[in-house]
Amino acid sequence: GENVEQHPSTLSVQEGDSAVIKCTYSDSASNYFPWYKQELGKRPQLIIDIRSNVGEKKDQRIAVTLNKTAKHFSLHITETQPEDSAVYFCAVLSGSARQLTFGSGTQLTVLP
Amino acid sequence: NAGVMQNPRHLVRRRGQEARLRCSPMKGHSHVYWYRQLPEEGLKFMVYLQKENIIDESGMPKERFSAEFPKEGPSILRIQQVVRGDSAAYFCASSPRRQGTNTEAFFGQGTRLTVV
């Protein structure tokens, strides 16, 4: 089955700096890569996603890049704010799977 | 349009009891996914259901766990004879079509099960 690894597990940045979270996957047939944000005690919420026919996607301060050859994708958050503090999960939908496989999460803390 | 509704939000059970977790998908959504989240870990897929059908239960333990999504009413995840290791947050997600096919899966608030 699909194997998704996410790094780092914790990340602290100063307000205004950028944050980068990386994920690698194993199934070269994977074709959908969403990122979820989960605040403490709340539900995971989709913040951005990318499909295999695109290399980069941006939405205001967040962007995702995909390298299909290397089988990794990254979340980039610029101009971080304290409200960006949360756990971020990457996920992968492989070609044959019917459900998402999630990474283990990154606890992002933005220091004021 | 209410979001995905899960109840109860918190559930405490003694070892050996049964736990029933309910998930009402968003209106118009016929695909339901259950995930388990252990403390400080990611979401682990358990089971994927469509109305009256289990599509994929490869992530669900073979014993004590079962799931259903009847024609009417919510999807139910049932855990029999709970053990301390079942303590976790159980999330349900729903989508109008299979995940990834140009559609987003929306998560419920989760049920936090504590086995004492």
Side-chain angles (χ1 to χ4, degrees), chain B residues 49-104:
Chain B
L49 311 102
Q50 285 181 263
K51 282 286 187 180
E52 299 183 273
N53 288 303
I54 296 175
I55 306 301
D56 185 346
E57 55 183 349
S58 59
M60 196 158 66
K62 295 288 188 290
E63 297 180 356
R64 303 190 297 108
F65 286 73
S66 62
E68 62 178 13
F69 189 14
K71 186 176 180 181
E72 301 291 338
S75 174
I76 295 175
L77 179 67
R78 183 181 174 205
I79 311 172
Q80 295 178 291
Q81 299 174 338
V82 295
V83 301
R84 288 229 170 99
D86 296 332
S87 296
Y90 291 83
F91 286 94
C92 159
S94 76
S95 64
R97 291 174 295 280
R98 182 168 70 88
Q99 282 181 355
T101 52
N102 296 314
T103 186
E104 175 184 347

Side-chain angles (χ1 to χ4, degrees), chain A residues 6 19 21 32-39 43-50 57-64 74-78 83-84 86-91 102 106 108, chain B residues 104-107:
Chain A
Q6 183 172 345
I21 303 170
Y32 177 61
F33 309 88
W35 284 90
Y36 285 82
K37 175 183 180 182
Q38 186 179 28
E39 296 177 4
R43 75 185 79 196
Q45 291 193 295
L46 180 72
I47 55 171
I48 195 167
D49 57 12
I50 193 168
K57 183 176 178 181
K58 191 173 181 180
D59 182 3
Q60 299 183 343
R61 295 187 298 108
I62 60 173
V64 56
S74 301
L75 176 71
H76 305 253
I77 306 174
T78 58
E83 51 265 38
D84 294 331
V87 179
Y88 292 80
F89 293 98
C90 64
F102 283 82
T106 296
L108 173 65
Chain B
E104 175 184 347
F106 293 85
F107 280 86

Side-chain angles (χ1 to χ4, degrees), chain A residues 1 10 15 21 38 40 48 53-55 59 69 73 84-85 87 94 106 110-111:
Chain A
T10 60
E15 183 177 358
I21 303 170
Q38 186 179 28
L40 188 63
I48 195 167
N53 58 345
V54 176
D59 182 3
T69 303
F73 58 111
D84 294 331
S85 296
V87 179
S94 64
T106 296
V110 179
L111 304 169

